Amino acid sequence: MPRPDRRDILALLAACGIGTLEAAAFAPHPSRAAPPRLAQLVVHGMPSTPSIVIERLIEAGVLAPFTDRPQLRIWRNADQMRTGVVSGDMQVFGTPTYTCANLLNRGVPVRQVNVLTWGLLYLLSRDPAIERIEDIAGQAVLVAYRHDAPDLILRLVLRRLGLDPERDVRLQYVGSPSEAAQLLLAGRATLAVLAEPAATAAEVRAVQAGVSLRRTVDLTEVYGRLAGQPARIPQAGLAVREEFLQQHPDVVEAIHEGCVTAARWMLDHPDAAGRLGAPLLDLGPATIARSIPHFRLDVVSAADARGDLERYFSELIAMSPGIVGGRLPDDRFYWGRTG
């Protein structure tokens, strides 16, 4: 049977009582050619709970119109992610927002698409005397990833308190959140800064081991309170290399809109989200479900989040200009239409 053309469809819709203008919205337009399908589309996600947003949008078929082979791959550390982006191996990727700004300012053609998480760092303590962030003065604190988000945000908070991170607190760096949690649970440390879902995983393991461990301080809440701002840090989201955006703007738009819908699903279905994320993050489904309320999931385009991003970057620049490449990123950094 020959495929009906636009006139056939308009005639059929008119016969059903749909007017010409209304029918035109349903009928295919001859100038609207279907975009070429991608042989493969890989989104490289962060090793944290927000990556479940990507897995969900893939599961929901958001990328089916563009490729038969959508895939999420988790990068394991920030150096691996930076290398992959600079080389061009990673075209669409989850990233701390300041890392994307740094890459752009150093000449790598990248854009921030959105912010997914607005703060997921917590201070966990075995010491019942530690009740406020001010109580860590003079204490040793375990921190994973020197010069990356946990270290930088803790330093911002300490500076706002009037504490010198180099003199007033003993920051002890370890190679991963899991190492920090193991040392904390083994009693070889009293305090550690952990991101989600590592913070929730440490709490669960502490209960199982009969160890007294508390989520003492929400660093995002303290950061906002000391600045007179809401408890929101535009910490991480999705970004894209410029050439991919130019070649496939419809794909980037679909990914962002898919993130909005997937995030809503995660918040409404934490148990199902836990089951979906367990293989990605190598954690139990119940632990992941329990972590979801703690990482401030809210999908906002970079254009709409620009004010928050610039405030955050400005603070980082005041602390150490090299963190974001010496200056605020220019207009091209912020993908999306405001409003």
Side-chain angles (χ1 to χ4, degrees):
M1 178 181 293
R3 184 176 179 178
D5 62 15
R6 180 177 173 84
R7 286 176 299 176
D8 295 329
I9 294 175
L10 288 172
L12 177 62
L13 292 172
C16 294
I18 298 176
T20 302
L21 291 178
E22 294 170 286
F26 292 91
H29 195 281
S31 65
R32 293 176 190 162
R37 291 179 67 79
L38 295 164
Q40 184 180 30
L41 175 56
V42 178
V43 180
H44 295 267
M46 299 168 280
S48 58
T49 316
S51 284
I52 302 173
V53 172
I54 310 304
E55 186 72 0
R56 170 58 185 175
L57 72 84
I58 291 174
E59 179 188 66
V62 169
L63 300 180
F66 309 104
T67 180
D68 294 326
R69 297 175 60 199
Q71 185 179 1
L72 171 65
R73 294 179 189 165
I74 304 296
W75 51 260
R76 294 303 169 190
N77 57 66
D79 287 338
Q80 180 193 19
M81 180 268 294
R82 292 185 189 102
T83 300
V85 173
V86 170
S87 70
D89 290 340
M90 295 186 184
Q91 294 284 312
V92 184
F93 55 97
T95 177
T97 54
Y98 71 85
T99 300
C100 191
N102 183 294
L103 288 168
L104 179 64
N105 281 337
R106 296 184 185 279
V108 183
V110 291
R111 301 269 295 275
Q112 190 74 41
V113 174
N114 60 28
V115 178
L116 294 175
T117 175
W118 293 78
L120 42 63
L121 289 171
Y122 297 87
L123 179 73
L124 276 71
S125 174
R126 292 177 60 116
D127 184 352
I130 304 292
E131 297 182 349
R132 307 174 304 154
I133 187 66
E134 292 85 351
D135 296 333
I136 71 171
Q139 300 287 326
V141 183
L142 294 181
V143 185
Y145 306 138
R146 187 168 191 165
H147 301 312
D148 276 316
D151 181 30
L152 298 174
I153 291 173
L154 176 60
R155 287 172 175 271
L156 285 178
V157 169
L158 293 174
R159 285 164 60 91
R160 282 187 171 174
L161 286 171
L163 298 175
D164 185 336
E166 304 298 336
R167 295 184 306 171
D168 298 323
V169 178
R170 287 176 286 138
L171 301 181
Q172 298 180 347
Y173 296 100
V174 294
S176 68
S178 61
E179 182 180 353
Q182 289 169 4
L183 293 171
L184 192 62
L185 292 167
R188 296 172 58 188
T190 301
L191 298 167
V193 171
L194 293 174
E196 286 298 338
T200 295
E203 288 181 314
V204 171
R205 290 173 58 192
V207 170
Q208 294 170 345
V211 172
S212 178
L213 183 67
R214 295 179 303 122
R215 189 186 297 249
T216 303
V217 175
D218 178 344
L219 289 179
T220 307
E221 186 279 326
V222 175
Y223 174 92
R225 173 168 52 83
L226 293 174
Q229 299 286 341
R232 285 168 71 83
I233 301 174
Q235 193 167 334
L238 278 180
V240 63
R241 280 188 60 103
E242 184 70 31
E243 63 266 27
F244 186 91
L245 176 60
Q246 294 303 319
Q247 294 167 8
H248 307 287
D250 50 343
V251 177
V252 175
E253 180 86 34
I255 289 173
H256 172 68
E257 293 301 327
C259 285
V260 174
T261 303
R264 191 177 304 121
W265 175 85
M266 278 186 67
L267 294 172
D268 291 341
H269 305 89
D271 292 337
R275 292 190 294 272
L276 184 63
L280 299 175
L281 304 178
D282 196 25
L283 288 171
T287 297
I288 294 175
R290 181 173 166 178
S291 83
I292 289 173
H294 295 296
F295 75 93
R296 292 183 171 87
L297 176 61
D298 184 18
V299 181
V300 181
S301 74
D304 282 331
R306 181 168 183 166
D308 295 296
L309 287 163
E310 289 186 338
R311 280 190 292 273
Y312 178 43
F313 295 159
S314 294
E315 288 213 49
L316 292 173
I317 290 169
M319 182 171 65
S320 179
I323 291 169
V324 293
R327 63 187 184 276
L328 290 176
D330 59 28
D331 293 348
R332 58 187 165 153
F333 177 77
Y334 303 94
W335 178 90
R337 296 177 294 275
T338 59

